[in-house]
Amino acid sequence: MDESTDVTEQLLELSQGYLRTAALHAAAELRLADLLAGGPRSADDLAAEAGLDGPYLARLLRYLAAYGVFRQEDDGRFALTPLAQLLREDVPGSMRSYVEMHGHEIFLRSATGLSEAVRTGGNPFEAEFGMPFYQYLFGNRELGMRFDASMASFSEALSDQVAAAYDFGAARKVVDVGGGRGGQLLAILRRNAHLSGTLMDREPVVAAHVLDVPELSGRWEAVGGDFFAAVPEGGDVYILKHVLASWPDDQCVRILEVCRDAMPEGGRMLMVNALVPEGNEPHPAKDVDMVMLTVLNGKGRTQAEYEALMRKAGLVPAQVLHVSPHAAIIEATKV
């Protein structure tokens, strides 16, 4: 095979990436990994239990097996692989809700507007659905709850890594701003028995928090609110994890200013986000940037860009801890 054939095949494979997204979404939505949790089964057997079309199901499983999601045995039955295990609902680190959400039509339809966005600088989601993303979710509570669950699923895998990477020894109270259901705060409090914490997010989100566990009794509170207006005061450490990437620069500065105003002298801010690196290599932060471009009005940013936002908000960037490709911690102090 000559070089021109190689690059042609590579481009063809890239152009068909939407099929893998759609296939993963279908597998997650139909709970196929859960149906296979007991061991290998035929497509007809699975279809009979789940009320699906056997031949179509076999084709879907065969396609995903080609990418290591499921495995087809010599006798034709299908089995779980390590990738498929993460599509189960009831396993630690499950990514089922995240995979299902990111193959949802609100993401796929928005992505089709990418070329128009590049022409005009407009937002594809708003052009397609007539309103900003979070406003749309607020008006569609069932979908909003699924989105919140997907973000918790994505964040859970990183929460303990972030909690382990930063030294909270000198702190007494942590405030997790825009902290979703509280998975990050839970991980921090579990690792630091001396800490208390406050979870703050929109009221419908914090209503589904995960903090009410016996080992944390009396050490936490969950507060609904708007981080553009005010955040709880008195924290030694304020955390913004996977928040700032969702917003344009001016609104990021506003969020940081509100947090700064609530911080005491000597307080610290932790900004947790993937950082866009230099160079041409693939990176999760570059994927995040495309999601932000097509769905929200935020963007992926470099370390220098995040630090510039902090300075505009009256914060002084300090150490940077590279936790994983999906999360770096930029610490800042109050001016």
Side-chain angles (χ1 to χ4, degrees):
M1 184 179 292
D2 60 29
E3 183 178 353
S4 63
T5 303
D6 287 343
V7 295
T8 298
E9 290 300 323
Q10 183 181 358
L11 188 59
L12 284 172
E13 183 174 356
L14 284 170
S15 73
Q16 294 169 350
Y18 73 98
L19 293 172
R20 290 185 283 283
T21 299
L24 284 168
H25 168 78
E29 184 176 55
L30 296 170
R31 308 297 203 274
L32 299 184
D34 292 316
L35 292 171
L36 285 168
R41 299 174 66 181
S42 70
D44 286 341
D45 185 27
L46 293 174
E49 178 178 341
L52 306 174
D53 183 275
Y56 274 41
L57 176 58
R59 290 163 67 183
L60 172 63
L61 290 168
R62 181 181 64 186
Y63 177 74
L64 287 170
Y67 294 96
V69 186
F70 306 110
R71 181 182 68 253
Q72 189 166 21
E73 308 284 14
D74 292 340
D75 61 6
R77 293 183 302 164
F78 291 93
L80 295 179
T81 62
L83 285 176
Q85 286 283 358
L86 293 180
L87 291 177
R88 291 176 56 187
E89 184 73 50
D90 60 348
V91 296
S94 170
M95 295 295 291
R96 193 208 63 77
S97 60
Y98 184 86
V99 170
E100 181 184 10
M101 175 53 61
H102 281 262
H104 191 279
E105 66 167 353
I106 61 172
F107 286 90
L108 297 183
R109 286 168 59 184
S110 298
T112 63
L114 184 56
S115 57
E116 185 64 19
V118 173
R119 288 191 187 99
T120 66
N123 179 267
F125 182 91
E126 293 179 19
E128 181 70 22
F129 294 95
M131 65 186 72
F133 179 73
Y134 287 119
Q135 182 181 340
Y136 184 86
L137 292 185
F138 187 78
N140 295 265
R141 268 321 296 158
E142 190 276 333
L143 182 62
M145 291 173 66
R146 288 165 61 191
F147 176 75
D148 294 339
S150 77
M151 293 308 297
S153 171
F154 167 66
S155 184
E156 181 182 352
L158 294 172
S159 292
D160 197 57
Q161 296 176 49
V162 171
Y166 188 78
D167 182 4
F168 291 91
R172 289 295 174 266
K173 183 177 180 180
V174 174
V175 180
D176 193 353
V177 178
R181 298 180 176 185
Q184 181 61 72
L185 184 58
L186 177 69
I188 291 170
L189 295 182
R190 278 178 165 164
R191 279 186 169 269
N192 297 272
H194 67 286
L195 286 178
S196 64
T198 299
L199 171 67
M200 187 251 179
D201 209 311
R202 293 172 294 121
E203 185 63 47
V205 179
V206 297
H209 69 78
V210 296
L211 297 171
D212 195 9
V213 296
E215 65 191 283
L216 302 186
S217 179
R219 296 173 53 204
W220 61 271
E221 62 177 342
V223 178
D226 176 3
F227 52 46
F228 287 108
V231 301
E233 297 183 351
D236 301 300
V237 177
Y238 284 75
I239 300 174
L240 288 166
K241 179 185 175 188
H242 294 148
V243 171
L244 298 184
S246 299
W247 302 97
D249 288 355
D250 58 339
Q251 289 176 291
C252 286
V253 172
R254 175 57 184 164
I255 295 168
L256 289 167
E257 287 175 338
V258 170
C259 292
R260 180 207 62 201
D261 290 345
M263 292 167 61
E265 293 302 320
R268 290 170 285 167
M269 164 65 65
L270 304 182
M271 189 287 305
V272 183
N273 266 111
L275 301 180
V276 177
E278 300 295 332
N280 299 315
E281 296 303 314
H283 193 276
K286 297 176 183 179
D287 297 328
V288 168
D289 189 41
M290 287 295 98
V291 175
M292 297 302 112
L293 193 159
T294 54
V295 176
L296 293 160
N297 284 303
K299 61 181 180 180
R301 295 179 175 90
T302 64
Q303 177 180 327
E305 288 172 325
Y306 277 120
E307 290 178 342
L309 295 177
M310 289 176 156
R311 292 189 182 94
K312 286 181 181 179
L315 296 164
V316 179
Q319 65 175 324
V320 179
L321 303 172
H322 296 277
V323 179
S324 84
H326 296 279
I329 302 171
I330 301 180
E331 180 190 49
T333 57
K334 190 173 181 177
V335 174

